[in-house]
Every structure is written in structure tokens, then in C-alpha cells.
Amino acid sequence: MDVVSELLTTFDDFYDAYDETGSSSITFGDYIRSARRRERREGIPCNELELRKKFLEYDRDHNGRVTWHDFIMVEAVNYLKKLPNHEILRFLKPLEVDRLRRLFRHLDAANTGVLTVPESEKAYRTWLTSLDIPVQGEMIKSEQRASGPNHNRLITWERFIRNKALSIITARPNTRTLRPYLTSMEHHWMDS
């Protein structure tokens, strides 16, 4: 069995534990009842505030119900977040990589294969805007940090794509119910 099939089976079993009625929809009541059963059975404490936060993470459209699709999308992103950046690259589609490479090269006016941190943030912002994803909040803070002390730091194409891979995956049209996992300059340029 490949990794994706294994994950889907695991996520499916986990979802079924919450979907007591088989209605393909979990309410907060279902979620908390299941957590309490698990607490009694396995001794794993359940904190209602933490459970509500987690449920709201799944309930992306805020309708009080979590479908299997809602659940699987959040769990898949959580799984990917745990992988090293270089492993996430294998989940990218060639068209996604090509599109971002063109933006990167367009800003690489000297054709050196590197961008400064602010230029790389501009490439990322341009890519997000081309997908109709609003650039706000964390992305704006990231741009402000990019003009700070590390503004002359150079970023290679390889480092850029490796550190943006999760953002690219979560910005796909089939994940639009998820808040895009927007990386910040501080998050990825410093730790790779």
C-alpha cells in the first residue's frame, strides 16, 4: 500500500470514529462525545476549549458540520506540515513549479539564479495574487520583515521552491476551503 492510500485509510477510520450515525457529517456534539469516549477508553484527556478550536479548524465554512472532505483536507495539510520541506516537493505538480519558476526568473533581472529576500517575497506575493488569494496579514508582516536586516540575503531557486511547497499545495483550487498556509520570510528563510 502506498503512503497516500495508508493515510486515507487512517484518516477515514479516524473520521468514522466521530461520525457515529454514518451521516457523512460531524457536529460539534458528535466530536465532543467521541473525544469523551476516547478519554474513558484510552485515558487521553479532553479539554473542551481545545476540542472546539480543533473542530473550528475542520469546519472551514462555519456551518457547524464537518464533512469527510473538510476533515481530510485539514488532516492532509497537518500531515504535510510534519514533513521536511524537501519531501513536500514530490507532491508538487510540474505546472505549479513551472509557473513559480517563471515568476522567480522574471525578478532575477541579472540572471544569476538568486533573488534577494524582498524580491523572493515579491515573487511569492505575485503568485498568490495570480490565484486570487488576498495578500494580507502574515504576508504583509513578512514583507516588512524582508526589508529588515536580512534584505540583502540571497535566496536560490531551490531554496525558494522547497520553502514554498506547502503554500503551493494548500493554494490549489480543491483546497480553497482551507486558509492558505502562507509562509512568512521569518518562518522559512531562517531555518533552511
Side-chain angles (χ1 to χ4, degrees), residues 34-159:
S34 181
R36 285 188 179 134
R37 274 194 311 276
R38 197 166 136 211
E39 180 179 41
R40 285 189 300 272
R41 188 177 58 245
E42 300 172 22
I44 298 171
C46 68
N47 173 315
E48 192 164 333
L49 183 60
E50 289 300 315
L51 290 172
R52 182 167 297 284
K53 283 171 58 178
K54 188 67 175 176
F55 183 82
L56 291 173
E57 183 182 345
Y58 292 128
D59 184 17
R60 305 305 293 180
D61 57 4
H62 307 292
N63 68 356
R65 298 194 165 282
V66 174
T67 65
W68 186 84
H69 184 263
D70 297 333
F71 182 81
I72 198 76
M73 296 309 289
V74 171
E75 286 302 316
V77 170
N78 288 340
Y79 170 78
L80 289 172
K81 283 180 184 178
K82 294 174 187 174
L83 295 177
N85 287 346
H86 68 276
E87 286 187 31
I88 299 171
L89 287 173
R90 66 188 168 116
F91 296 104
L92 294 177
K93 296 176 183 176
L95 187 62
E96 293 168 327
V97 175
D98 289 343
R99 189 172 188 197
L100 210 51
R101 183 180 286 125
R102 281 194 304 275
L103 286 170
F104 187 93
R105 285 181 178 162
H106 176 73
L107 291 172
D108 180 16
N111 201 25
T112 58
V114 295
L115 295 178
T116 62
V117 170
E119 290 168 333
S120 69
E121 291 299 310
K122 182 177 181 180
Y124 181 52
R125 183 182 67 242
T126 302
W127 174 77
L128 288 171
T129 304
S130 75
L131 298 174
D132 294 325
I133 296 174
V135 177
Q136 55 191 349
E138 185 57 35
M139 188 64 201
I140 292 169
K141 289 178 191 170
S142 173
E143 289 176 30
Q144 292 166 348
R145 286 188 299 265
S147 61
N150 290 306
H151 73 281
N152 287 326
R153 186 167 177 182
L154 299 177
I155 307 299
T156 64
W157 161 250
E158 292 77 16
R159 175 178 248 165

